Amino acid sequence: MAPSTIRVPREIRDHLAELAKERGMTIGQLVEALAAEQPTADQRAERLAAARETVRRLGGADIVSLGMPGPGLH
């Protein structure tokens, strides 16, 4: 993967550097780990669709029929 530059205020950079050091990683690795913890709206919708399909396939009720919001209905 080609490296990129992200411009942030010095205080944020220093904070990220300290967090990365505490975890024994680089700032880039820290940013990658933090980003991986936060799925996009499309990724959440895909996961929900997959979970609904699993429930349907196993003979359970549709999540929406149980009063759970659908994708994009937070």
Side-chain angles (χ1 to χ4, degrees):
M1 169 185 353
S4 296
T5 300
I6 300 172
R7 297 176 74 92
V8 296
R10 178 173 288 131
E11 297 82 21
I12 300 298
R13 184 212 52 210
D14 293 346
H15 182 73
L16 291 171
E18 185 175 343
L19 291 173
K21 182 178 178 183
E22 289 174 355
R23 290 164 174 77
M25 57 179 55
T26 66
I27 293 175
Q29 291 168 328
L30 175 66
V31 170
E32 185 176 349
L34 293 172
E37 293 174 2
Q38 299 296 319
T40 65
D42 286 345
Q43 290 168 327
R44 289 191 306 273
E46 289 172 9
R47 291 177 188 178
L48 181 57
R52 283 183 170 154
E53 177 57 25
T54 299
V55 170
R56 186 199 61 73
R57 197 174 60 250
L58 295 174
D62 188 321
I63 294 172
V64 173
S65 69
L66 297 175
M68 301 290 289
L73 303 175
H74 313 256

